């Protein structure tokens, strides 16, 4: 976007430039990177309106963003500021709506949240064809708080406004134009088009004001919207308030809805849910920052990938590359396994096409990027090779030895191991600097998390390339260190142990799972184990005992597996699965438990849901603190990102570490001790100092 040419006069505040284009005053917001409505922005905009008011020669005002975007919203960093210090978006919008001369919002990039609310308070909106407009506040646990809930339904209709506000997803400019949200699409330069538009409407009166329009919506529509929330936003505060306010827009004068919105916005903003979601917004962005690495760190270009293993994991990983147009060579040891793997990939794509989310043409285009082979030699040109075979160190070492001989110099050699020592894997190559762990989560084409395991000798270039690659294939990459299970699985191991103990002490598996449902997790620990397959953990336990020379494990869970009950895949595990996927409490499991308890002389006691929730969640937190202390994770926020994108922890809780911060670390320590656990030293220290994990992250970032 070019700036105004040859202004006849100009002025500026720190964040808002003013310039004249004939009889139009242009206010350009310059608050990089995204022109958030930060302190200083309203002051600059008010000064601009003052100027427009005072000068009779100015007949219209254009508001535009400098740099890459229009205003991308209120400044989220100011949400916790005292009210009097926070930028007064509502005050500015009130003035803008009542302004006596025509105002035009010139939109490029993203007009989001408060940004779209500013645009809605202008009389007209002009946008570039690639602009996006939306009210994403729900993703931060709040509602549009500067008129959005009242104005959007008055423009696009209640149904569409609810869809936009409840999903938080933006619409593209062409759709916005069709909806009446945008008055004109700019063909060429945005500013030129917006100034021309402003000149054309300079004398038009009365000024069109969205606040003066009416919105319509039936009782049935709102009832259906409320009923839908149970499915899409279970347990969340803001979505229900959004529906209430949209309904008000149809029933009450604008001013009444506007006032109600202010009060409800504050209620949502001050909720733990909003704190959790805002925490994750920033944690996700922080996770992309690695101390010592920056924009100048060289990166490799990834134009092709090789994948070893066409099983569920390898196939899922391949799809991520195919989806973004990167050709993949996939290797198996036998033709039937290769055919099966390719068949599954094709079927996945065809199912997506059946649901109307891609065309059959796209399916074929993606499949055409995939080259199946039985020979590892065919990986010689790949820029990155990802091994995705089963968890066995000897097998992985053999593969990496082979890869070292085959791969071209500089190629990234990655293992998808979920537990094994990446240093040991790297040690069999002559190029350990090229070796890294890329731990995808199952199903790998769906789950957004990618644990990026930095081994001792992994080069900065390989790490930086892997982070960039994660973004390219639309994953959230989080760097972790080498240890058994890295971050996610190491913590989940303790969670699983705690769940088993709860049952030994008397809880029913379904009660333990229900305790985690109340926190908003879609699955409890036992439902998750049944889905993953109980035999995996069983085999690991048996193997570990054998290696350690200990007797064969004989826990209640081992006994269930020994009855052939391996989980969902055998339609029987801890639960029964009479209709395939829905878990039903099992009499067989009850019997195993009764026998087990009586044989071992275990006394059963009543365990409250509160105790179960605390013990399970704090088992994650305690191990998380230990992981932080060891430097396996860089930040508590990284752990939260891992749990939200890899393990279904609800984003509105902010992840386990943020959840612990909300409870207060001294109460977490007291509870852990009360339940017979030893709190991790870092957790204890922070609690004693009256600090939070967030404080720890901040101190570390400053250090
Ligand atoms: N406030 C403060 N900082 C913000 C911000 C905001 N609204 N939006 C983005 N940022 C920061 C990010 O934290 C990041 O900072 P960093 O470089 O220090 O990590 C930087 O801007 C760039 O952001 P991204 O890395 O996300 O850049 P992208 O180009 O990938 O995405 C974006 C740009 C689409 C604008 C994306 O940042 C985004 O979705 N932002 C949030 C938009 C939003 O939620 N707006 C509504 C705010 S709430 C509101 O307006 C309330 C009102 O109704 C009263």
């Amino acid at each position: 976007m070019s700036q105004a040419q040859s202004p006849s006069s100009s002025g500026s505040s720190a964040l808002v430039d003013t310039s004249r284009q004939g009889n139009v005053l242009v206010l350009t917001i310059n608050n990089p990177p995204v022109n958030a409505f930060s302190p200083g922005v309203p002051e600059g905009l008010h000064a601009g309106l003052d100027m427009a008011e005072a000068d009779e020669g100015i007949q219209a005002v254009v508001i535009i963003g400098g740099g890459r975007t229009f205003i991308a919203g209120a400044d989220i960093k100011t949400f916790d500021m005292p009210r009097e210090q926070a930028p007064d978006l509502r005050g500015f919008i009130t003035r803008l709506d009542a302004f006596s001369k025509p105002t035009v919002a010139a939109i490029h990039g993203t007009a989001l949240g408060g940004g779209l609310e500013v645009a809605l308070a202008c009389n007209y909106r002009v946008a570039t064809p690639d602009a996006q407009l939306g009210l994403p506040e729900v993703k931060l646990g709040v509602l549009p708080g500067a008129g959005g809930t009242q104005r959007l339904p008055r423009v696009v209709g209640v149904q569409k406004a609810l869809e936009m506000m409840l999903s938080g997803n933006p619409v593209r400019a062409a759709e916005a134009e069709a909806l009446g949200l945008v008055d004109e699409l700019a063909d060429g330069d945005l500013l030129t088009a917006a100034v021309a538009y402003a000149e054309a409407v300079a004398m038009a009166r009365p000024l069109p004001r969205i606040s003066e329009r009416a919105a319509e919506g039936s009782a049935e529509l709102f009832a259906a919207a409320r009923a839908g929330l149970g499915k899409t936003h279970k347990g969340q505060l803001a979505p229900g308030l959004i529906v209430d306010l949209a309904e008000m827009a149809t029933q009450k004068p604008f001013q009444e809805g506007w006032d109600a919105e202010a009060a409800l916005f504050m209620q949502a903003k001050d909720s733990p849910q909003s704190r959790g979601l805002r925490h994750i917004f920033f944690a996700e962005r922080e996770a992309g920052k690695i101390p010592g690495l920056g924009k100048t760190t060289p990166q490799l270009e990834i134009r092709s990938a090789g994948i070893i293993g066409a099983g569920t994991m390898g196939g899922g990983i391949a799809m991520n590359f195919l989806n973004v147009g990167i050709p993949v060579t996939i290797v198996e040891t036998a033709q039937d396994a290769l055919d099966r793997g390719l068949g599954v990939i094709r079927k996945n794509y065809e199912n997506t096409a059946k649901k109307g989310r891609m065309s059959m043409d796209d399916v074929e285009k993606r499949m055409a990027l995939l080259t199946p082979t039985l020979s590892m030699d065919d990986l010689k040109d790949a820029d990155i090779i990802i091994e995705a075979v089963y968890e066995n160190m000897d097998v992985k070492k053999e593969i990496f030895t082979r890869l070292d001989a085959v791969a071209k110099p500089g190629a990234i050699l990655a293992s998808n191991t979920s537990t094994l020592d990446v240093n040991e894997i790297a040690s069999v190559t002559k190029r350990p600097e090229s070796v890294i762990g890329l731990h995808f989560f199952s199903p790998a084409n769906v789950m957004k998390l990618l644990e990026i395991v930095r081994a001792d000798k992994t080069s900065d270039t390989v790490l930086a390339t892997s982070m960039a690659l994660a973004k390219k294939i639309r994953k959230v990459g989080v760097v972790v260190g080498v240890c058994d299970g890295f971050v996610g699985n190491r913590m989940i191991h303790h969670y699983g142990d705690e769940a088993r103990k709860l049952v030994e002490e008397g809880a029913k598996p379904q009660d333990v799972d229900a305790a985690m449902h109340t926190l908003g997790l879609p699955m409890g620990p036992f439902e998750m184990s049944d889905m993953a397959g109980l035999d995996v953990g069983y085999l690991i336990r048996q193997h570990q005992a054998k290696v350690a020379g200990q007797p064969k494990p004989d826990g209640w869970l081992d006994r269930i597996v020994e009855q052939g009950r391996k989980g969902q895949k055998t339609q029987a595990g801890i639960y029964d699965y009479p209709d395939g996927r829905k878990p039903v409490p099992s009499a067989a499991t009850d019997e195993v438990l009764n026998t087990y308890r009586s044989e071992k002389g275990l006394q059963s006691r009543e365990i409250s849901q509160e105790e179960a929730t605390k013990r399970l969640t704090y088992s994650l937190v305690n191990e998380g603190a230990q992981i932080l202390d060891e430097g396996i994770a860089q930040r508590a926020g990284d752990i939260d990102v891992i749990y939200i994108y890899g393990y279904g922890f609800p984003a509105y809780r902010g992840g386990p570490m943020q959840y612990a911060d909300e409870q207060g670390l001294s109460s977490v320590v007291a509870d852990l001790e009360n339940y017979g656990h030893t709190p991790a030293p870092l957790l204890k220290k922070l609690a004693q100092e009256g600090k939070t994990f967030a404080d720890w992250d901040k101190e570390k970032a400053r250090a």
Side-chain angles (χ1 to χ4, degrees):
M1 185 209 67
S2 70
Q3 294 297 307
Q5 299 296 307
S6 317
S8 55
S9 71
S10 68
S12 62
S13 78
L15 299 179
V16 181
D17 281 340
T18 53
S19 61
R20 279 286 288 271
Q21 294 243 337
N23 56 5
V24 177
L25 184 72
V26 178
L27 309 183
T28 308
I29 301 158
N30 287 311
N31 183 26
V34 297
N35 288 324
F37 207 84
S38 308
V41 173
E43 290 79 356
L45 289 171
H46 275 297
L49 294 188
D50 289 346
M51 192 187 286
E53 233 161 23
D55 187 338
E56 278 185 14
I58 295 173
Q59 294 178 336
V61 176
V62 166
I63 301 180
I64 192 165
R68 69 186 205 204
T69 183
F70 191 70
I71 306 166
D75 182 343
I76 308 164
K77 290 198 174 101
T78 66
F79 272 30
D80 292 324
M81 270 186 177
R83 221 170 175 175
E84 37 314 332
Q85 288 168 22
D88 186 7
L89 177 58
R90 286 175 63 89
F92 174 68
I93 281 181
T94 301
R95 182 176 181 194
L96 187 61
D97 191 34
F99 201 64
S100 57
K101 299 179 182 181
T103 51
V104 178
I107 301 168
H108 73 299
T110 45
L112 299 177
L116 180 55
E117 289 172 308
V118 167
L120 286 166
C122 287
N123 304 116
Y124 306 97
R125 285 150 295 281
V126 175
T128 56
D130 59 355
Q132 297 191 46
L133 298 86
L135 293 176
E137 285 87 344
V138 73
K139 295 183 181 176
L140 299 169
V142 289
L143 42 98
T149 63
Q150 301 306 296
R151 285 195 177 86
L152 193 62
R154 285 173 158 87
V155 187
V156 302
V158 169
Q159 182 87 46
K160 185 68 193 176
L162 279 175
E163 187 189 309
M164 287 174 68
M165 293 191 285
L166 292 175
S167 72
N169 296 333
V171 293
R172 295 189 172 275
E175 187 182 357
E177 190 193 27
L179 289 165
L181 185 55
V182 160
D183 298 290
E184 186 179 273
L185 292 185
D187 274 342
D189 177 65
L190 173 65
L191 184 58
T192 308
V195 168
Y197 197 94
E199 280 168 348
V201 297
M203 294 305 157
R205 296 294 185 278
L207 291 173
R209 291 192 172 93
I210 293 171
S211 56
E212 291 171 357
R213 295 199 210 166
E216 279 172 24
S218 64
E220 293 75 42
L221 189 155
F222 290 106
R226 288 192 177 93
L229 295 182
K231 274 196 199 135
T232 52
H233 296 85
K234 199 166 171 215
Q236 294 185 52
L237 171 68
L241 300 180
I242 288 173
V243 179
D244 293 349
L245 285 162
E247 189 168 33
M248 260 189 118
T250 65
Q251 293 173 344
K252 306 279 183 193
F254 179 83
Q255 187 65 39
E256 227 176 290
W258 164 261
D259 291 342
E261 183 193 72
L264 295 180
F265 177 83
M266 295 308 279
Q267 185 191 334
K269 175 183 83 68
D270 292 333
S271 67
Q273 295 191 356
S274 175
R275 282 195 293 275
L277 285 161
R278 281 182 274 140
H279 163 75
I280 280 299
F281 176 84
F282 288 115
E284 190 180 327
R285 282 155 182 82
E286 279 303 297
K289 297 172 191 160
I290 304 155
L293 263 65
K295 289 205 174 92
T296 54
T297 310
Q299 286 187 24
L300 305 164
E301 226 184 303
I302 304 294
R303 280 162 305 201
S304 61
I307 291 173
I308 302 175
T312 315
M313 211 58 202
I317 295 171
M319 289 173 76
N320 291 298
F321 287 88
L322 303 176
N323 291 345
V324 297
I326 300 177
V328 173
T329 303
I330 193 160
V331 187
E332 256 301 346
T333 45
Q335 189 63 44
D336 59 339
L338 195 56
D339 293 344
R340 228 180 4 255
L342 253 67
V344 172
I345 296 176
R346 172 173 282 281
K347 194 151 173 251
N348 281 339
Y349 280 137
E350 284 175 355
N351 283 341
T352 310
K354 265 188 213 143
K355 288 180 197 147
R357 295 207 299 261
M358 76 168 27
S359 66
M360 274 315 287
D361 214 31
D362 285 336
V363 174
E364 294 310 330
K365 271 189 198 139
R366 283 172 208 208
M367 291 308 291
L369 289 172
L370 186 59
T371 309
T373 177
L374 295 175
S375 166
M376 259 210 238
D377 293 340
D378 291 338
L379 299 178
K380 64 182 182 344
D381 295 325
D383 295 316
I384 184 168
I385 302 168
I386 304 175
E387 162 276 311
V389 304
Y390 57 97
E391 289 288 87
N392 179 304
M393 182 55 94
D394 293 339
V395 175
K396 298 214 185 231
K397 278 181 167 171
E398 205 181 304
I399 288 176
F400 273 76
T401 307
R402 195 66 216 289
L403 278 182
D404 197 20
V406 167
K408 69 179 181 186
I412 296 181
L413 309 184
S415 172
N416 177 51
T417 178
S418 56
T419 49
L420 299 176
D421 184 341
V422 183
N423 287 320
E424 197 178 333
I425 296 175
S427 72
V428 300
T429 72
K430 288 190 247 3
R431 42 172 139 176
E433 68 285 355
S434 294
V435 178
I436 195 162
L438 293 181
H439 178 207
F440 288 82
F441 285 68
S442 189
N445 52 323
V446 178
M447 298 299 283
K448 278 196 79 178
L449 178 64
L450 181 62
E451 276 188 330
I452 299 184
V453 191
R454 180 187 208 165
D456 290 350
K457 295 190 178 154
T458 306
S459 74
D460 286 354
T461 296
V462 166
L463 188 61
T465 306
S466 300
M467 287 300 283
L469 178 67
K471 207 165 183 179
K472 170 132 205 211
I473 60 173
R474 302 186 201 117
K475 301 281 174 205
V476 180
V478 183
V479 175
V480 299
V482 175
C483 69
D484 189 4
F486 316 122
V487 172
N489 281 349
R490 176 167 156 184
M491 285 165 66
I492 212 75
H493 182 71
H494 290 259
Y495 174 80
D497 274 355
E498 198 63 27
R500 277 203 298 277
K501 276 187 212 143
L502 280 162
V503 169
E504 276 169 21
E505 290 170 38
K508 287 190 164 50
Q510 56 270 33
D511 294 340
V512 174
D513 283 339
M516 293 317 280
H517 298 164
T518 61
L519 219 60
L521 275 89
M523 276 190 234
F526 295 124
E527 289 157 331
M528 200 169 74
S529 312
D530 264 358
M531 196 185 71
L534 299 177
D535 49 333
V536 182
Y538 174 83
L539 289 173
I540 292 173
R541 285 191 296 278
Q542 303 291 323
H543 176 73
Q544 284 171 344
K546 200 170 164 192
V547 170
Q550 288 166 353
K552 185 173 148 28
D554 179 34
W556 63 268
L557 208 45
D558 300 308
R559 293 186 183 187
I560 287 179
V561 180
E562 279 160 9
Q563 289 190 359
R565 301 174 64 93
K566 296 181 187 170
Q568 268 191 33
K569 61 184 167 191
T570 54
Q571 297 212 343
I574 297 163
Y575 293 97
D576 291 335
Y577 295 87
D579 73 356
R581 301 190 84 180
K582 194 170 173 288
V584 174
S586 160
T589 295
D590 283 348
E591 206 181 309
V592 169
L593 279 170
N594 289 338
T595 316
Y596 181 80
R597 287 198 189 108
S598 76
E599 269 180 34
K600 305 272 171 187
L602 297 172
Q603 292 295 321
S604 286
R605 66 179 175 91
E606 230 8 79
I607 294 179
S608 70
Q609 197 163 71
E610 188 194 351
E611 176 179 340
T613 309
K614 281 184 172 171
R615 283 176 57 179
L616 290 167
T617 318
Y618 295 170
S619 67
L620 293 174
V621 174
N622 206 27
E623 193 58 21
Q626 191 56 38
I627 280 171
L628 273 183
D629 215 4
E630 291 172 20
I632 297 292
Q634 298 181 86
R635 310 171 186 92
D638 287 6
I639 297 179
D640 286 334
V641 171
I642 287 175
Y643 262 76
I644 279 158
Y645 288 115
Y647 294 86
F649 208 92
Y652 66 83
R653 300 278 184 201
M657 309 309 269
Q658 164 73 10
Y659 181 76
D661 278 355
E662 279 287 340
Q663 307 309 305
L665 296 192
S666 47
S667 88
V668 174
V669 165
D671 281 328
L672 277 168
E673 283 172 342
N674 191 23
Y675 296 128
H677 289 282
T678 309
L682 176 65
L683 173 56
K684 212 162 174 175
K685 179 169 166 287
L686 290 173
Q688 275 160 359
E689 292 170 357
K691 290 182 178 160
T692 59
F693 287 118
D695 293 331
W696 190 85
D697 280 359
K698 277 188 209 128
E699 281 170 21
K700 208 169 161 226
R702 276 197 296 268

